[in-house]
Amino acid sequence: MRVGLFGGSFNPIHFGHLRSAEEVREALNLDLIYFVPAASPPHKVEGELAPAEHRLAMVRLATKGNRHFMVSDTEIRRLGRSYTVDTTRHFLQTLRQPSTLFLMLGADLFVDLETWKEAATLVTLCNLVVHSRVAADDTESGHHATVVAVLKRFGYIKQQDHYVHPSGQTLSFVETTILPISATLIRDKLRRRESIRYLVPNDVLDYIERHGLY
Ligand code: ATP
């Protein structure tokens, strides 16, 4: 099985997340994508973060119509800080069928990869999928030099349409449609009592209203 992992705070989940996951699934022919809401993301300042059980419930509602989309509460159950390397090990140990893992990362996260816990080990455990509007060979972008430097530091070698790590794990760039939606935008709109309709699935909208979130 080809299994994608999509972590995030999902505070709340929105159509930007869903559309990216759908396009990555299609591009890499994944059987499943697990959405993994974080309990307490190491890179986020807490305060605006809705309780984990609400974020989890919204991810379940948003993904329930897609048989390729699964939801994992592993980080939420683990409590404390969530590290991707631990989550990846969890999936390698618990998935019932032999699986190849594809960890989805936004390009914004990829350039910080070195700061992640056990990053050098993480890249030997799973394939990486960097999804963004910026391709690795897009020399116009300011991001380019940083991305190339990170690839080099981890020892990735360029192949025709992807990169390969000495461990055999790959790294692919998938250009996805960028919907300019962020959870921050949604929370700001809710604070200003503006509509968030068509930015999130209707069930998520209803859930936010029913529970008075944000
Ligand atoms: P916030 O605005 O609170 O920082 P966010 O909308 O960026 O949140 P996260 O849960 O932090 O959402 O993101 C999880 C992952 O989804 C990250 O890898 C991020 O790059 C990606 N992502 C976020 N928004 C979009 C979008 N509109 N299109 C594609 N990917 C996105």
Side-chain angles (χ1 to χ4, degrees):
M1 290 250 283
R2 292 166 67 81
V3 176
L5 298 183
F6 189 12
S9 43
F10 300 121
N11 183 40
I13 189 166
H14 52 70
F15 280 129
H17 297 129
L18 292 161
R19 185 63 208 167
S20 267
E22 179 68 358
E23 291 188 20
V24 166
R25 186 193 67 72
E26 194 171 42
L28 296 180
N29 199 18
L30 304 182
D31 298 295
L32 297 175
I33 292 184
Y34 279 90
F35 287 67
V36 190
S40 172
H43 296 283
K44 289 261 153 107
V45 191
E46 287 181 47
E48 276 197 300
L49 196 60
E53 68 269 21
H54 286 316
R55 291 183 290 111
L56 177 67
M58 291 187 282
V59 173
R60 286 199 205 283
L61 288 171
T63 56
K64 73 171 190 276
N66 187 329
R67 67 190 168 87
H68 300 288
F69 287 178
M70 311 300 237
V71 184
S72 166
D73 62 359
T74 181
E75 292 198 356
I76 285 169
R77 271 189 292 110
R78 201 183 302 140
L79 299 173
R81 297 216 168 258
S82 308
Y83 294 102
T84 304
V85 70
D86 299 328
T87 302
T88 305
R89 285 197 184 104
H90 166 83
F91 277 95
L92 287 171
Q93 286 158 10
T94 57
L95 283 172
R96 264 179 246 129
Q97 294 191 43
S99 300
T100 309
L101 293 184
F102 294 82
L103 180 68
M104 289 178 55
L105 298 177
D108 48 331
L109 292 181
F110 174 68
V111 296
D112 288 334
L113 190 61
E114 278 173 294
T115 65
W116 291 24
K117 183 187 168 195
E118 295 179 51
T121 303
L122 177 65
V123 298
T124 68
L125 296 178
C126 60
N127 300 285
L128 299 188
V129 187
V130 181
H131 58 103
S132 70
R133 74 202 101 174
V134 187
D137 50 6
D138 174 6
T139 44
E140 296 295 298
S141 149
H143 245 39
H144 176 69
T146 324
V147 168
V148 170
V150 176
L151 287 167
K152 214 168 148 186
R153 232 165 291 141
F154 281 96
Y156 282 101
I157 295 160
K158 191 165 169 37
Q159 306 274 303
Q160 216 157 6
D161 61 351
H162 64 287
Y163 291 78
V164 181
H165 188 262
S167 65
Q169 303 284 1
T170 64
L171 184 151
S172 318
F173 289 87
V174 175
E175 286 185 65
T176 53
T177 307
I178 296 297
L179 303 175
I181 306 174
S182 67
T184 304
L185 170 83
I186 290 166
R187 295 193 303 273
D188 286 348
K189 283 190 173 297
L190 286 165
R191 211 174 301 115
R192 296 194 298 262
R193 305 208 174 276
E194 291 173 11
S195 164
I196 58 160
R197 192 158 223 185
Y198 311 123
L199 295 174
V200 300
N202 280 338
D203 286 352
V204 171
L205 176 68
D206 290 345
Y207 189 95
I208 290 172
E209 283 179 357
R210 204 152 11 100
H211 295 270
L213 301 180
Y214 309 111

